[in-house]
Amino acid sequence: YPGDSFYHFLLAMALSNTGNKAAAIPEFEKAMTLDPSDDHCPYYLALIYDEQKNFKKSKELYEKAIKASPANPEPWAGLAMATMEVDGAKKALEVYARAKKMGIKDPMLYHNAGCIQLANFKNYKEAEINFRDALKIEPKLYQSKAGLGETLLRKGSYREALKVLQEASRMPEAKDPKRAKELNGYIKECKIKLAPKKKKKKKADVKPGALAPAAAPATSAAAPAQ
């Protein structure tokens, strides 16, 4: 069935999954030619170009996949990452904004937007909103819980940050040594900020000579006896 796009797609996937990415590319392209409305081929082909660091090409393919299936969250995430590589963080945030406007309910889209706001722009208000939105969709998402804790710490909300970070530290993912070390560092920082400050003792104002020993009263041997 040389004219059936589905078999070209299946062959492309088989080649890709067995490590022959170079041979998979023309099969994906053939399938897309036969069925321009398919959203699977451009998405999986974009993943290959991502591996090759050809983000300009993968960006075009993710856009094609989104045009074919706007409600699918996977190409949106890929497009944002490719856009970050090609056009920078600000343009990547525009992709996330487009996805949100489309009503895409993927927690990682919100999480990634929060990471960019936190790391690239230090926009703690927007970062907090994004991390909280991600957790509304997936309350047990460790990455967003830890991200929210760090954001609150940087924002100066130390008490709330400590609570969130401690919650993250009890999640299964926090057993990873690297993550545990990072979390413990943030928790320690919160506790230092929340610790009561020691009051400095005030020094008494002492006038010059005030601490000199008092002179003993003078006595006279010639004084008459009482």
mmCIF file of all heavy atoms in Angstrom, residues 53-96:
data_model
loop_
_atom_site.group_PDB
_atom_site.id
_atom_site.type_symbol
_atom_site.label_atom_id
_atom_site.label_comp_id
_atom_site.label_asym_id
_atom_site.label_seq_id
_atom_site.Cartn_x
_atom_site.Cartn_y
_atom_site.Cartn_z
ATOM 1 N N LYS A 53 19.542 18.656 17.449
ATOM 2 C CA LYS A 53 19.732 20.078 17.799
ATOM 3 C C LYS A 53 19.324 21.015 16.661
ATOM 4 O O LYS A 53 19.756 22.172 16.619
ATOM 5 C CB LYS A 53 21.190 20.376 18.208
ATOM 6 C CG LYS A 53 21.742 19.467 19.287
ATOM 7 C CD LYS A 53 21.024 19.634 20.593
ATOM 8 C CE LYS A 53 21.622 18.767 21.689
ATOM 9 N NZ LYS A 53 20.852 18.818 22.951
ATOM 10 N N ASN A 54 18.509 20.520 15.745
ATOM 11 C CA ASN A 54 17.998 21.353 14.658
ATOM 12 C C ASN A 54 16.640 21.906 15.102
ATOM 13 O O ASN A 54 15.580 21.495 14.626
ATOM 14 C CB ASN A 54 17.859 20.533 13.377
ATOM 15 C CG ASN A 54 17.536 21.398 12.158
ATOM 16 O OD1 ASN A 54 17.156 22.567 12.293
ATOM 17 N ND2 ASN A 54 17.681 20.834 10.975
ATOM 18 N N PHE A 55 16.693 22.866 16.020
ATOM 19 C CA PHE A 55 15.471 23.357 16.645
ATOM 20 C C PHE A 55 14.642 24.235 15.704
ATOM 21 O O PHE A 55 13.421 24.320 15.867
ATOM 22 C CB PHE A 55 15.813 24.123 17.924
ATOM 23 C CG PHE A 55 16.475 23.264 18.966
ATOM 24 C CD1 PHE A 55 17.820 23.413 19.259
ATOM 25 C CD2 PHE A 55 15.756 22.290 19.631
ATOM 26 C CE1 PHE A 55 18.433 22.618 20.217
ATOM 27 C CE2 PHE A 55 16.365 21.486 20.591
ATOM 28 C CZ PHE A 55 17.710 21.648 20.881
ATOM 29 N N LYS A 56 15.293 24.849 14.754
ATOM 30 C CA LYS A 56 14.545 25.646 13.781
ATOM 31 C C LYS A 56 13.598 24.749 12.984
ATOM 32 O O LYS A 56 12.435 25.099 12.748
ATOM 33 C CB LYS A 56 15.521 26.365 12.840
ATOM 34 C CG LYS A 56 14.838 27.365 11.920
ATOM 35 C CD LYS A 56 15.860 28.147 11.111
ATOM 36 C CE LYS A 56 15.165 29.172 10.212
ATOM 37 N NZ LYS A 56 16.146 29.930 9.404
ATOM 38 N N LYS A 57 14.088 23.579 12.590
ATOM 39 C CA LYS A 57 13.267 22.631 11.834
ATOM 40 C C LYS A 57 12.186 22.027 12.724
ATOM 41 O O LYS A 57 11.021 21.906 12.315
ATOM 42 C CB LYS A 57 14.155 21.521 11.266
ATOM 43 C CG LYS A 57 13.423 20.524 10.372
ATOM 44 C CD LYS A 57 12.961 21.161 9.083
ATOM 45 C CE LYS A 57 12.324 20.134 8.167
ATOM 46 N NZ LYS A 57 11.798 20.746 6.930
ATOM 47 N N SER A 58 12.555 21.654 13.947
ATOM 48 C CA SER A 58 11.560 21.051 14.843
ATOM 49 C C SER A 58 10.466 22.054 15.204
ATOM 50 O O SER A 58 9.296 21.685 15.341
ATOM 51 C CB SER A 58 12.228 20.513 16.111
ATOM 52 O OG SER A 58 12.742 21.550 16.911
ATOM 53 N N LYS A 59 10.838 23.319 15.319
ATOM 54 C CA LYS A 59 9.848 24.356 15.618
ATOM 55 C C LYS A 59 8.784 24.415 14.523
ATOM 56 O O LYS A 59 7.573 24.491 14.810
ATOM 57 C CB LYS A 59 10.552 25.713 15.754
ATOM 58 C CG LYS A 59 9.621 26.867 16.084
ATOM 59 C CD LYS A 59 10.385 28.185 16.058
ATOM 60 C CE LYS A 59 9.402 29.348 16.122
ATOM 61 N NZ LYS A 59 10.068 30.644 15.925
ATOM 62 N N GLU A 60 9.205 24.365 13.272
ATOM 63 C CA GLU A 60 8.260 24.381 12.143
ATOM 64 C C GLU A 60 7.312 23.176 12.191
ATOM 65 O O GLU A 60 6.115 23.298 11.935
ATOM 66 C CB GLU A 60 9.035 24.367 10.824
ATOM 67 C CG GLU A 60 9.867 25.612 10.566
ATOM 68 C CD GLU A 60 10.762 25.459 9.339
ATOM 69 O OE1 GLU A 60 10.666 24.408 8.659
ATOM 70 O OE2 GLU A 60 11.554 26.385 9.073
ATOM 71 N N LEU A 61 7.871 22.022 12.539
ATOM 72 C CA LEU A 61 7.070 20.797 12.576
ATOM 73 C C LEU A 61 6.087 20.795 13.739
ATOM 74 O O LEU A 61 4.949 20.323 13.594
ATOM 75 C CB LEU A 61 7.994 19.583 12.648
ATOM 76 C CG LEU A 61 8.766 19.292 11.358
ATOM 77 C CD1 LEU A 61 9.976 18.404 11.631
ATOM 78 C CD2 LEU A 61 7.849 18.643 10.325
ATOM 79 N N TYR A 62 6.495 21.327 14.882
ATOM 80 C CA TYR A 62 5.564 21.423 16.017
ATOM 81 C C TYR A 62 4.398 22.346 15.663
ATOM 82 O O TYR A 62 3.245 22.060 16.021
ATOM 83 C CB TYR A 62 6.285 21.933 17.264
ATOM 84 C CG TYR A 62 7.187 20.922 17.922
ATOM 85 C CD1 TYR A 62 8.517 21.229 18.224
ATOM 86 C CD2 TYR A 62 6.726 19.648 18.262
ATOM 87 C CE1 TYR A 62 9.349 20.300 18.843
ATOM 88 C CE2 TYR A 62 7.562 18.719 18.876
ATOM 89 C CZ TYR A 62 8.870 19.050 19.154
ATOM 90 O OH TYR A 62 9.703 18.132 19.760
ATOM 91 N N GLU A 63 4.683 23.431 14.978
ATOM 92 C CA GLU A 63 3.622 24.343 14.538
ATOM 93 C C GLU A 63 2.655 23.616 13.602
ATOM 94 O O GLU A 63 1.433 23.797 13.684
ATOM 95 C CB GLU A 63 4.226 25.567 13.832
ATOM 96 C CG GLU A 63 4.898 26.568 14.750
ATOM 97 C CD GLU A 63 3.916 27.501 15.456
ATOM 98 O OE1 GLU A 63 2.711 27.184 15.522
ATOM 99 O OE2 GLU A 63 4.372 28.552 15.948
ATOM 100 N N LYS A 64 3.195 22.793 12.727
ATOM 101 C CA LYS A 64 2.371 22.011 11.801
ATOM 102 C C LYS A 64 1.481 21.029 12.560
ATOM 103 O O LYS A 64 0.297 20.867 12.244
ATOM 104 C CB LYS A 64 3.283 21.256 10.831
ATOM 105 C CG LYS A 64 2.568 20.595 9.669
ATOM 106 C CD LYS A 64 3.573 19.911 8.762
ATOM 107 C CE LYS A 64 2.852 19.159 7.648
ATOM 108 N NZ LYS A 64 2.783 19.877 6.423
ATOM 109 N N ALA A 65 2.057 20.378 13.583
ATOM 110 C CA ALA A 65 1.286 19.435 14.392
ATOM 111 C C ALA A 65 0.170 20.148 15.162
ATOM 112 O O ALA A 65 -0.948 19.626 15.273
ATOM 113 C CB ALA A 65 2.206 18.709 15.364
ATOM 114 N N ILE A 66 0.458 21.341 15.661
ATOM 115 C CA ILE A 66 -0.544 22.118 16.401
ATOM 116 C C ILE A 66 -1.677 22.559 15.478
ATOM 117 O O ILE A 66 -2.858 22.518 15.855
ATOM 118 C CB ILE A 66 0.116 23.335 17.084
ATOM 119 C CG1 ILE A 66 0.960 22.869 18.274
ATOM 120 C CG2 ILE A 66 -0.915 24.355 17.535
ATOM 121 C CD1 ILE A 66 1.862 23.922 18.854
ATOM 122 N N LYS A 67 -1.326 22.945 14.269
ATOM 123 C CA LYS A 67 -2.334 23.352 13.297
ATOM 124 C C LYS A 67 -3.284 22.189 12.998
ATOM 125 O O LYS A 67 -4.496 22.380 12.830
ATOM 126 C CB LYS A 67 -1.662 23.825 12.007
ATOM 127 C CG LYS A 67 -2.621 24.461 11.012
ATOM 128 C CD LYS A 67 -1.873 25.008 9.813
ATOM 129 C CE LYS A 67 -2.848 25.651 8.820
ATOM 130 N NZ LYS A 67 -2.129 26.183 7.629
ATOM 131 N N ALA A 68 -2.735 20.969 12.948
ATOM 132 C CA ALA A 68 -3.555 19.789 12.664
ATOM 133 C C ALA A 68 -4.390 19.376 13.870
ATOM 134 O O ALA A 68 -5.507 18.874 13.711
ATOM 135 C CB ALA A 68 -2.662 18.631 12.226
ATOM 136 N N SER A 69 -3.846 19.573 15.080
ATOM 137 C CA SER A 69 -4.552 19.156 16.297
ATOM 138 C C SER A 69 -4.255 20.124 17.440
ATOM 139 O O SER A 69 -3.412 19.849 18.291
ATOM 140 C CB SER A 69 -4.136 17.733 16.686
ATOM 141 O OG SER A 69 -4.828 17.297 17.828
ATOM 142 N N PRO A 70 -4.954 21.262 17.490
ATOM 143 C CA PRO A 70 -4.651 22.311 18.473
ATOM 144 C C PRO A 70 -4.831 21.883 19.928
ATOM 145 O O PRO A 70 -4.199 22.455 20.816
ATOM 146 C CB PRO A 70 -5.645 23.425 18.115
ATOM 147 C CG PRO A 70 -6.085 23.135 16.722
ATOM 148 C CD PRO A 70 -6.032 21.655 16.567
ATOM 149 N N ALA A 71 -5.691 20.912 20.193
ATOM 150 C CA ALA A 71 -5.977 20.517 21.580
ATOM 151 C C ALA A 71 -4.969 19.530 22.148
ATOM 152 O O ALA A 71 -5.008 19.233 23.345
ATOM 153 C CB ALA A 71 -7.378 19.920 21.667
ATOM 154 N N ASN A 72 -4.060 19.030 21.328
ATOM 155 C CA ASN A 72 -3.066 18.072 21.800
ATOM 156 C C ASN A 72 -1.952 18.820 22.528
ATOM 157 O O ASN A 72 -1.262 19.653 21.933
ATOM 158 C CB ASN A 72 -2.497 17.288 20.613
ATOM 159 C CG ASN A 72 -1.541 16.188 21.033
ATOM 160 O OD1 ASN A 72 -1.240 16.021 22.212
ATOM 161 N ND2 ASN A 72 -1.052 15.435 20.074
ATOM 162 N N PRO A 73 -1.711 18.535 23.821
ATOM 163 C CA PRO A 73 -0.707 19.303 24.579
ATOM 164 C C PRO A 73 0.733 18.997 24.200
ATOM 165 O O PRO A 73 1.616 19.844 24.403
ATOM 166 C CB PRO A 73 -0.976 18.891 26.029
ATOM 167 C CG PRO A 73 -1.639 17.563 25.949
ATOM 168 C CD PRO A 73 -2.435 17.574 24.675
ATOM 169 N N GLU A 74 1.021 17.814 23.658
ATOM 170 C CA GLU A 74 2.412 17.415 23.409
ATOM 171 C C GLU A 74 3.156 18.341 22.451
ATOM 172 O O GLU A 74 4.274 18.772 22.749
ATOM 173 C CB GLU A 74 2.457 15.968 22.929
ATOM 174 C CG GLU A 74 2.115 14.963 24.018
ATOM 175 C CD GLU A 74 2.204 13.536 23.524
ATOM 176 O OE1 GLU A 74 2.011 13.304 22.314
ATOM 177 O OE2 GLU A 74 2.483 12.650 24.351
ATOM 178 N N PRO A 75 2.591 18.666 21.282
ATOM 179 C CA PRO A 75 3.333 19.581 20.402
ATOM 180 C C PRO A 75 3.486 20.984 20.973
ATOM 181 O O PRO A 75 4.445 21.678 20.648
ATOM 182 C CB PRO A 75 2.520 19.578 19.108
ATOM 183 C CG PRO A 75 1.186 19.058 19.466
ATOM 184 C CD PRO A 75 1.385 18.148 20.627
ATOM 185 N N TRP A 76 2.567 21.399 21.840
ATOM 186 C CA TRP A 76 2.705 22.711 22.469
ATOM 187 C C TRP A 76 3.960 22.765 23.333
ATOM 188 O O TRP A 76 4.712 23.746 23.303
ATOM 189 C CB TRP A 76 1.475 23.022 23.327
ATOM 190 C CG TRP A 76 0.267 23.480 22.558
ATOM 191 C CD1 TRP A 76 -0.861 22.753 22.309
ATOM 192 C CD2 TRP A 76 0.069 24.759 21.944
ATOM 193 N NE1 TRP A 76 -1.753 23.495 21.569
ATOM 194 C CE2 TRP A 76 -1.210 24.739 21.339
ATOM 195 C CE3 TRP A 76 0.840 25.910 21.846
ATOM 196 C CZ2 TRP A 76 -1.726 25.834 20.643
ATOM 197 C CZ3 TRP A 76 0.322 26.999 21.155
ATOM 198 C CH2 TRP A 76 -0.939 26.949 20.569
ATOM 199 N N ALA A 77 4.166 21.707 24.121
ATOM 200 C CA ALA A 77 5.366 21.644 24.972
ATOM 201 C C ALA A 77 6.629 21.633 24.119
ATOM 202 O O ALA A 77 7.612 22.321 24.421
ATOM 203 C CB ALA A 77 5.306 20.397 25.857
ATOM 204 N N GLY A 78 6.609 20.857 23.031
ATOM 205 C CA GLY A 78 7.758 20.801 22.134
ATOM 206 C C GLY A 78 8.031 22.129 21.464
ATOM 207 O O GLY A 78 9.188 22.558 21.342
ATOM 208 N N LEU A 79 6.958 22.805 21.046
ATOM 209 C CA LEU A 79 7.105 24.105 20.386
ATOM 210 C C LEU A 79 7.725 25.128 21.333
ATOM 211 O O LEU A 79 8.611 25.899 20.934
ATOM 212 C CB LEU A 79 5.747 24.605 19.893
ATOM 213 C CG LEU A 79 5.734 26.005 19.268
ATOM 214 C CD1 LEU A 79 6.629 26.058 18.039
ATOM 215 C CD2 LEU A 79 4.309 26.430 18.916
ATOM 216 N N ALA A 80 7.278 25.128 22.575
ATOM 217 C CA ALA A 80 7.817 26.087 23.546
ATOM 218 C C ALA A 80 9.310 25.859 23.770
ATOM 219 O O ALA A 80 10.094 26.821 23.818
ATOM 220 C CB ALA A 80 7.056 25.980 24.860
ATOM 221 N N MET A 81 9.716 24.596 23.887
ATOM 222 C CA MET A 81 11.127 24.290 24.116
ATOM 223 C C MET A 81 11.981 24.656 22.902
ATOM 224 O O MET A 81 13.075 25.210 23.039
ATOM 225 C CB MET A 81 11.290 22.809 24.445
ATOM 226 C CG MET A 81 10.568 22.372 25.715
ATOM 227 S SD MET A 81 11.138 23.214 27.206
ATOM 228 C CE MET A 81 12.720 22.419 27.433
ATOM 229 N N ALA A 82 11.474 24.341 21.696
ATOM 230 C CA ALA A 82 12.214 24.687 20.473
ATOM 231 C C ALA A 82 12.304 26.203 20.302
ATOM 232 O O ALA A 82 13.340 26.738 19.900
ATOM 233 C CB ALA A 82 11.539 24.054 19.258
ATOM 234 N N THR A 83 11.212 26.893 20.630
ATOM 235 C CA THR A 83 11.194 28.356 20.537
ATOM 236 C C THR A 83 12.193 28.966 21.506
ATOM 237 O O THR A 83 12.859 29.957 21.187
ATOM 238 C CB THR A 83 9.774 28.892 20.827
ATOM 239 O OG1 THR A 83 8.852 28.331 19.885
ATOM 240 C CG2 THR A 83 9.728 30.405 20.728
ATOM 241 N N MET A 84 12.304 28.382 22.679
ATOM 242 C CA MET A 84 13.288 28.842 23.676
ATOM 243 C C MET A 84 14.695 28.780 23.084
ATOM 244 O O MET A 84 15.500 29.702 23.254
ATOM 245 C CB MET A 84 13.189 27.937 24.907
ATOM 246 C CG MET A 84 14.138 28.304 26.017
ATOM 247 S SD MET A 84 13.488 29.603 27.059
ATOM 248 C CE MET A 84 14.648 29.538 28.424
ATOM 249 N N GLU A 85 14.992 27.710 22.374
ATOM 250 C CA GLU A 85 16.323 27.524 21.779
ATOM 251 C C GLU A 85 16.560 28.484 20.611
ATOM 252 O O GLU A 85 17.668 28.995 20.435
ATOM 253 C CB GLU A 85 16.484 26.086 21.293
ATOM 254 C CG GLU A 85 16.469 25.032 22.387
ATOM 255 C CD GLU A 85 17.705 25.077 23.266
ATOM 256 O OE1 GLU A 85 18.726 25.662 22.839
ATOM 257 O OE2 GLU A 85 17.658 24.535 24.391
ATOM 258 N N VAL A 86 15.523 28.721 19.824
ATOM 259 C CA VAL A 86 15.678 29.530 18.600
ATOM 260 C C VAL A 86 15.519 31.024 18.875
ATOM 261 O O VAL A 86 16.314 31.849 18.405
ATOM 262 C CB VAL A 86 14.668 29.082 17.521
ATOM 263 C CG1 VAL A 86 14.757 29.976 16.285
ATOM 264 C CG2 VAL A 86 14.906 27.627 17.141
ATOM 265 N N ASP A 87 14.500 31.389 19.647
ATOM 266 C CA ASP A 87 14.124 32.795 19.785
ATOM 267 C C ASP A 87 14.255 33.355 21.196
ATOM 268 O O ASP A 87 14.036 34.545 21.410
ATOM 269 C CB ASP A 87 12.678 33.000 19.314
ATOM 270 C CG ASP A 87 12.470 32.550 17.877
ATOM 271 O OD1 ASP A 87 13.287 32.934 17.019
ATOM 272 O OD2 ASP A 87 11.509 31.805 17.613
ATOM 273 N N GLY A 88 14.554 32.503 22.168
ATOM 274 C CA GLY A 88 14.751 32.994 23.527
ATOM 275 C C GLY A 88 13.536 32.836 24.429
ATOM 276 O O GLY A 88 12.456 32.429 24.006
ATOM 277 N N ALA A 89 13.758 33.189 25.704
ATOM 278 C CA ALA A 89 12.767 32.942 26.753
ATOM 279 C C ALA A 89 11.476 33.739 26.571
ATOM 280 O O ALA A 89 10.383 33.236 26.831
ATOM 281 C CB ALA A 89 13.384 33.268 28.113
ATOM 282 N N LYS A 90 11.589 34.973 26.141
ATOM 283 C CA LYS A 90 10.400 35.818 25.995
ATOM 284 C C LYS A 90 9.435 35.235 24.969
ATOM 285 O O LYS A 90 8.221 35.192 25.200
ATOM 286 C CB LYS A 90 10.812 37.237 25.583
ATOM 287 C CG LYS A 90 9.673 38.234 25.620
ATOM 288 C CD LYS A 90 10.170 39.640 25.329
ATOM 289 C CE LYS A 90 9.014 40.639 25.381
ATOM 290 N NZ LYS A 90 9.486 42.017 25.085
ATOM 291 N N LYS A 91 9.958 34.768 23.841
ATOM 292 C CA LYS A 91 9.123 34.166 22.805
ATOM 293 C C LYS A 91 8.539 32.832 23.276
ATOM 294 O O LYS A 91 7.423 32.467 22.914
ATOM 295 C CB LYS A 91 9.926 33.973 21.521
ATOM 296 C CG LYS A 91 10.258 35.258 20.782
ATOM 297 C CD LYS A 91 9.002 35.912 20.239
ATOM 298 C CE LYS A 91 9.315 37.182 19.462
ATOM 299 N NZ LYS A 91 8.087 37.842 18.955
ATOM 300 N N ALA A 92 9.307 32.105 24.076
ATOM 301 C CA ALA A 92 8.801 30.837 24.619
ATOM 302 C C ALA A 92 7.591 31.089 25.514
ATOM 303 O O ALA A 92 6.605 30.337 25.467
ATOM 304 C CB ALA A 92 9.892 30.126 25.400
ATOM 305 N N LEU A 93 7.639 32.153 26.311
ATOM 306 C CA LEU A 93 6.502 32.496 27.161
ATOM 307 C C LEU A 93 5.269 32.834 26.335
ATOM 308 O O LEU A 93 4.136 32.555 26.743
ATOM 309 C CB LEU A 93 6.856 33.678 28.072
ATOM 310 C CG LEU A 93 7.772 33.373 29.258
ATOM 311 C CD1 LEU A 93 8.099 34.655 30.016
ATOM 312 C CD2 LEU A 93 7.151 32.347 30.195
ATOM 313 N N GLU A 94 5.477 33.407 25.161
ATOM 314 C CA GLU A 94 4.353 33.699 24.275
ATOM 315 C C GLU A 94 3.684 32.407 23.801
ATOM 316 O O GLU A 94 2.455 32.357 23.630
ATOM 317 C CB GLU A 94 4.824 34.527 23.075
ATOM 318 C CG GLU A 94 5.231 35.950 23.446
ATOM 319 C CD GLU A 94 5.757 36.739 22.250
ATOM 320 O OE1 GLU A 94 5.622 36.253 21.101
ATOM 321 O OE2 GLU A 94 6.302 37.833 22.463
ATOM 322 N N VAL A 95 4.476 31.369 23.582
ATOM 323 C CA VAL A 95 3.925 30.065 23.188
ATOM 324 C C VAL A 95 3.079 29.507 24.324
ATOM 325 O O VAL A 95 1.964 29.017 24.105
ATOM 326 C CB VAL A 95 5.040 29.070 22.815
ATOM 327 C CG1 VAL A 95 4.457 27.681 22.553
ATOM 328 C CG2 VAL A 95 5.803 29.559 21.589
ATOM 329 N N TYR A 96 3.592 29.582 25.560
ATOM 330 C CA TYR A 96 2.825 29.095 26.708
ATOM 331 C C TYR A 96 1.530 29.883 26.861
ATOM 332 O O TYR A 96 0.486 29.309 27.203
ATOM 333 C CB TYR A 96 3.662 29.190 27.980
ATOM 334 C CG TYR A 96 4.794 28.199 28.042
ATOM 335 C CD1 TYR A 96 6.116 28.628 28.144
ATOM 336 C CD2 TYR A 96 4.548 26.828 27.984
ATOM 337 C CE1 TYR A 96 7.160 27.716 28.199
ATOM 338 C CE2 TYR A 96 5.594 25.912 28.040
ATOM 339 C CZ TYR A 96 6.899 26.364 28.143
ATOM 340 O OH TYR A 96 7.931 25.454 28.184
#
